[in-house]
Amino acid sequence: MILDQKPVILTVAEKTVHNDVYTTLFFDFAIDFRPGQFVMVWLPGIDEKPYSLSYHSPTRFGITIEAKGLFSRRAADLSPGDFVGIRGPFGNGFDIISSPHTAVVAGGCGMAPLAPLVERLHPDLFFVHGARTHEFILFPDRFAANRHITTDDGSLGHKGMVTDLLAAEIRRRADQGTPPFDRVYACGPEVMMHAVFTLCDVHGIPCQVSLERYMRCGFGVCGACVCSDQVVCKDGPVFDSKQLKKMPDFNRTALLKSGHAVPLSEYVSWRCL
Ligand code: FES
């Protein structure tokens, strides 16, 4: 079912507290969905925010919350039986190709929209996930695919950047005659996605990244989420290499809630919040 533009009131069916950072709320509701799409989550009297679906099955979906703002703390405090307004799903989602020569690069809770994608990709994909520290590695035990971990502080896996491992794997494939990647998918901090995009561009590898901008309507009417000439909620949030090359605001500028454009460093990410 498509919930569309009016919120449907759903009951929290189950709640999983992954750790002190991340919580997932599950809803027993059938929703047409493509990995990378998002829903608008409404807590009456508080606000409405976009969340990527982090779990999806024919009868259930889940959203994962990083509790650090007012809205996200309230959402993470919800319990089974509590009510939430949901609109969507919105956006385009990722193109799914069935190839063992794909790579997925996640940064922090950018893992949330990538998780249902990973479950639909070839199991032999190259999969790397980076975060500040080990606590911010989301879903550490969820996937059959071998996941390479990086942390900024070295508390888990490789100490350094996800692009260190992606670049090393691109080199290894070239040196050993393994076919190059057909596609790299990325989601995480925009500076990380830009680094992935640049690395892929140098090596002629198509990539898709999931951008985020402040969102109000979620379906292309209000203009709150514009990035260059693209409406992120409707044209995206997933953009490919060709589109990103024509988006000068990528990794540079974002609109605040007021509509004022600021450098990306002054924009607070909503992803998982
Ligand atoms: S959120 Fe309104 S146009 Fe995108």
Side-chain angles (χ1 to χ4, degrees):
M1 175 179 180
I2 295 174
L3 300 170
D4 215 347
Q5 297 165 8
K6 288 184 191 159
V8 170
I9 304 301
L10 299 181
T11 305
V12 177
E14 188 181 333
K15 170 178 172 176
T16 298
V17 179
H18 302 282
N19 59 18
D20 290 344
V21 179
Y22 298 120
T23 299
T24 297
L25 302 178
F26 291 95
F27 301 89
D28 285 338
F29 192 85
I31 186 169
D32 287 340
F33 165 75
R34 182 172 179 175
Q37 289 188 300
F38 65 95
V39 293
M40 298 297 290
V41 177
W42 176 46
L43 300 184
I46 302 176
D47 204 348
E48 188 181 39
K49 302 263 187 189
Y51 279 87
S52 304
L53 264 60
S54 55
Y55 287 85
H56 180 256
S57 75
T59 56
R60 168 175 272 215
F61 71 91
I63 58 170
T64 299
I65 299 149
E66 181 178 349
K68 61 189 219 181
L70 170 67
F71 185 94
S72 56
R73 284 199 300 270
R74 292 288 187 92
D77 281 346
L78 293 172
S79 300
D82 289 341
F83 296 106
V84 176
I86 302 279
R87 295 191 289 131
F90 297 121
N92 55 356
F94 293 100
D95 284 340
I96 297 175
I97 59 171
S98 177
S99 161
H101 306 297
T102 53
V104 170
V105 183
C109 66
M111 185 71 252
L114 291 173
L117 174 71
V118 168
E119 289 173 341
R120 296 193 196 182
L121 292 177
H122 196 285
D124 293 341
L125 82 171
F126 179 78
F127 184 12
V128 55
H129 185 185
R132 281 170 275 170
T133 67
H134 67 97
E135 293 112 317
F136 292 89
I137 295 294
L138 180 58
F139 310 140
D141 306 315
R142 177 166 168 185
F143 303 101
N146 182 23
R147 183 170 12 173
H148 304 272
I149 302 291
T150 73
T151 47
D152 295 351
D153 67 351
S155 55
L156 192 65
H158 168 79
K159 181 176 181 179
M161 303 291 169
V162 287
T163 42
D164 299 344
L165 299 194
L166 181 63
E169 178 63 13
I170 291 171
R171 273 196 309 274
R172 188 194 69 76
R173 286 173 171 253
D175 292 347
Q176 297 186 359
T178 306
F181 290 124
D182 296 320
R183 171 72 53 83
V184 174
Y185 302 93
C187 186
E190 197 152 315
V191 64
M192 180 213 89
M193 293 193 287
H194 189 265
V196 171
F197 157 76
T198 303
L199 182 61
C200 289
D201 195 41
V202 166
H203 292 278
I205 300 168
C207 79
Q208 286 197 325
V209 310
S210 174
L211 293 189
E212 56 149 310
R213 287 296 183 272
Y214 175 73
M215 288 186 192
R216 187 174 291 132
C217 69
F219 52 89
V221 170
C222 71
C225 66
V226 166
C227 178
S228 299
D229 62 350
Q230 300 287 329
V231 179
V232 173
C233 70
K234 193 170 177 210
D235 302 327
V238 176
F239 295 95
D240 65 25
S241 306
K242 286 184 187 160
Q243 294 171 303
L244 295 167
K245 282 184 190 177
K246 296 180 195 160
M247 294 170 66
D249 290 344
F250 174 41
N251 197 38
R252 194 165 296 158
T253 309
L255 302 182
L256 297 177
K257 190 174 183 178
S258 63
H260 185 61
V262 295
L264 201 66
S265 56
E266 294 175 27
Y267 171 80
V268 178
S269 158
W270 56 256
R271 204 181 300 279
C272 298
L273 296 183

